[in-house]
Amino acid sequence: MQVTAEEGAQPAAKPRRRLTQAEAKARTRRQLLEAAARVFAEKGYAGASLEEIAESAGYSTGALYYNFAGKQELFLELLDVGWTRGIDRRARAVARIFDEAAATGTDPFDALSRLVARRSQRQSEQANAPLAAEFWLYAVRNPDAMGLVAAKLGEEVGLMKPMIAAAMERLGAAPGLDASEMTVVAVLLFDALVRQRRIDPQSVSDDLFARVLRRLFAARDQTGRGTEHTVADDEGLAT
Amino acid sequence: MQVTAEEGAQPAAKPRRRLTQAEAKARTRRQLLEAAARVFAEKGYAGASLEEIAESAGYSTGALYYNFAGKQELFLELLDVGWTRGIDRRARAVARIFDEAAATGTDPFDALSRLVARRSQRQSEQANAPLAAEFWLYAVRNPDAMGLVAAKLGEEVGLMKPMIAAAMERLGAAPGLDASEMTVVAVLLFDALVRQRRIDPQSVSDDLFARVLRRLFAARDQTGRGTEHTVADDEGLAT
DNA sequence: TGTACATCAGTGAACGCGCGTTCACTGATGTAC
DNA sequence: TGTACATCAGTGAACGCGCGTTCACTGATGTAC
């Protein structure tokens, strides 16, 4: 699933001619990256073996070394290219939801909530959450890669922010959070809910994300009152 | 950091008598678990070596096998005992914040937000987030352990929920989210913000969590209007 | 189009190293009398 | 309290296995004429 792009760039009429050497090599590279995504997700960075990756793609380990400098380079390539592709796919899915909502005059929150449920269940998406966790761990352990991982959330926020901003304006969302912050929070919470549903589906009901988003996008009210609000006259802690 | 409890159960006046064999063994076990927490956090489950763990605790690998059945059992013990201890510590920190807020008549959100910043920076807390990620990955990969990991969030929600419920009532929070759901969302978002700050501090400003919580705990307004609200008359998507 | 040669993409066996685990051993602690 | 023996807690070397990486080799593809 979800690796490299170049597929869509082919001359629309699927040509049955023999592939050129360069094309065949690119295809091998792509297949190896797809296999790497599967195996790294399943076993983790340290737990995955290059032989299993190569074999799962239908090649020998030598092919891996002909296409990548080594395990680390393979992983970083997956982090960079594969993750970007995942972000693009998700951004398109979300854009479709916002378009649909605008077209039918409903709000997009329920559909976004259903997206959480689907992401945590669909077989073809199963690898994304573990991979994201592996990438984060890799970044924490290898400061050199931190910038790269941070940039990925930056990319995602960049794609989502216009939609969030439009929705905030349309709904007259209360001040206190700007569009960037709202996007960061929404994306982080989306991922967190997907992760949580993976290990305990009951703890995240189907429409929880929708209800949280409705609260976050709520129109202005007395929210902005700040911290000097006095509540000293009640007990504060239940038992 | 943060492993096993029994420390506090000692006869308050630190006794300088020689330890009994059982006490010495318990101490060794605790030291090994502490070292395991450090090394597993630093290298991951598959990447950590038992020799490094044992050495970091000041023992040989044989001592590890005398105290634990093997690598997996050591990890699961850490997951169970160590994580519970981490949850208890965090619950106490949060309880202190709620108490303080109730006593001084301010709201607890700014202090909770500062807790996010501290958690993502303090050296002694550095291991928690990677360990939690390792535990989640382990659960996803070993369905047998899913229940255990799910139970941990359950424990944490159980401890936090009374405080959240009290705060919701005090602030007259709008309907739509019950106390359990609010607690799940708050805990997940807390962790997500801590993680995000670890790789990109600038993307999570010091008071972001406070502002989100204020929005989530906002008093009732027109939020409950549901999905049939018509917005068909505007464009829906910015560019 | 055909031929000769060079380069390329991929093979698969081999190497060396580090790991999880085992085990014969040892000094210290506990127990029975 | 002292002695003899059994058990315990921990040692550290050894084993076997799987891994990342290397490399001599090969058939297919590309190139020059």
Side-chain angles (χ1 to χ4, degrees), chain B residues 19-196:
Chain B
L19 297 173
T20 113
Q21 227 175 8
E23 287 168 338
K25 189 184 180 188
R27 181 173 53 109
T28 300
R29 238 184 100 92
R30 180 161 28 87
Q31 290 169 337
L32 288 170
L33 277 169
E34 283 166 14
R38 284 195 299 273
V39 179
F40 279 134
E42 203 179 327
K43 304 280 179 73
Y45 176 69
S49 90
L50 294 184
E51 194 182 342
E52 185 179 356
I53 292 173
E55 205 164 279
S56 151
Y59 295 94
S60 66
T61 61
L64 252 174
Y65 277 88
Y66 190 69
N67 282 279
F68 303 93
K71 192 181 194 181
Q72 178 164 318
E73 213 228 41
L74 172 63
F75 186 77
L76 287 173
E77 178 77 10
L78 183 65
L79 197 166
D80 194 354
V81 177
W83 199 356
T84 291
R85 185 153 146 71
I87 287 171
D88 289 344
R89 290 186 52 200
R90 179 153 74 169
R92 276 198 299 277
V94 171
R96 215 174 303 125
I97 287 172
F98 275 86
D99 284 346
E100 173 89 6
T104 63
T106 57
D107 74 29
F109 303 135
D110 287 304
L112 290 171
S113 209
R114 280 193 296 274
L115 195 61
V116 170
R118 222 177 330 148
R119 283 258 151 188
S120 63
Q121 283 161 6
R122 268 177 59 182
Q123 188 61 29
S124 67
E125 314 278 6
Q126 292 288 1
N128 285 356
L131 275 181
E134 288 290 335
F135 292 156
W136 180 83
L137 283 168
Y138 189 86
V140 169
R141 289 166 186 158
N142 305 78
D144 289 351
M146 261 196 200
L148 187 50
V149 172
K152 289 302 161 190
L153 189 91
E155 276 182 40
E156 185 158 18
V157 168
L159 290 174
M160 302 281 187
K161 184 175 156 184
M163 315 185 223
I164 298 280
M168 285 174 75
E169 189 168 351
R170 174 171 21 156
L171 299 172
L177 290 165
D178 67 30
S180 289
E181 293 172 326
M182 188 71 100
T183 309
V184 168
V185 168
V187 168
L188 290 181
L189 191 58
F190 181 95
D191 288 340
L193 290 172
V194 169
R195 270 195 304 274
Q196 179 59 22

Side-chain angles (χ1 to χ4, degrees), chain A residues 14-33:
Chain A
K14 212 169 185 180
R16 260 286 152 267
R17 65 175 166 82
R18 222 161 80 261
L19 298 172
T20 110
Q21 228 174 5
E23 288 167 339
K25 189 184 180 189
R27 182 173 54 109
T28 300
R29 238 184 99 93
R30 181 162 27 86
Q31 290 169 336
L32 288 170
L33 277 169

Side-chain angles (χ1 to χ4, degrees), chain A residues 6-215:
Chain A
E6 39 209 322
E7 196 78 273
Q10 282 185 357
K14 212 169 185 180
R16 260 286 152 267
R17 65 175 166 82
R18 222 161 80 261
L19 298 172
T20 110
Q21 228 174 5
E23 288 167 339
K25 189 184 180 189
R27 182 173 54 109
T28 300
R29 238 184 99 93
R30 181 162 27 86
Q31 290 169 336
L32 288 170
L33 277 169
E34 282 165 14
R38 283 194 300 273
V39 179
F40 279 134
E42 204 177 327
K43 306 280 179 72
Y45 176 68
S49 90
L50 294 185
E51 194 182 343
E52 183 178 357
I53 291 173
E55 205 164 279
S56 152
Y59 295 92
S60 66
T61 62
L64 251 174
Y65 277 87
Y66 189 70
N67 282 280
F68 303 92
K71 192 181 195 182
Q72 178 163 320
E73 212 229 42
L74 172 63
F75 186 77
L76 287 173
E77 179 77 8
L78 183 64
L79 197 167
D80 194 353
V81 177
W83 198 357
T84 292
R85 185 154 146 70
I87 286 171
D88 289 344
R89 291 186 51 198
R90 178 152 75 169
R92 276 197 299 274
V94 170
R96 215 175 303 126
I97 287 172
F98 274 87
D99 284 347
E100 174 89 5
T104 63
T106 57
D107 75 30
F109 303 135
D110 288 303
L112 290 171
S113 209
R114 281 191 296 274
L115 195 61
V116 171
R118 221 176 332 148
R119 283 259 151 187
S120 63
Q121 284 161 6
R122 266 177 58 182
Q123 190 60 29
S124 66
E125 315 277 6
Q126 292 289 2
N128 284 357
L131 275 182
E134 288 290 337
F135 292 156
W136 181 81
L137 282 168
Y138 188 87
V140 169
R141 289 165 185 158
N142 305 78
D144 287 353
M146 262 197 201
L148 188 49
V149 172
K152 290 302 161 189
L153 188 93
E155 277 182 39
E156 186 158 16
V157 168
L159 289 175
M160 303 280 187
K161 183 175 159 184
M163 314 186 224
I164 298 279
M168 286 174 74
E169 189 168 352
R170 173 170 22 157
L171 299 172
L177 291 165
D178 66 31
S180 289
E181 293 172 325
M182 188 72 100
T183 308
V184 168
V185 168
V187 169
L188 290 181
L189 191 58
F190 181 94
D191 288 339
L193 291 172
V194 169
R195 271 195 305 272
Q196 179 59 22
R197 267 183 81 104
R198 276 291 274 284
I199 56 163
D200 188 6
Q202 301 210 342
S203 63
V204 180
S205 64
D206 281 355
D207 65 339
L208 178 56
F209 191 46
R211 283 180 283 129
V212 170
L213 287 177
R214 254 178 220 114
R215 197 68 75 95

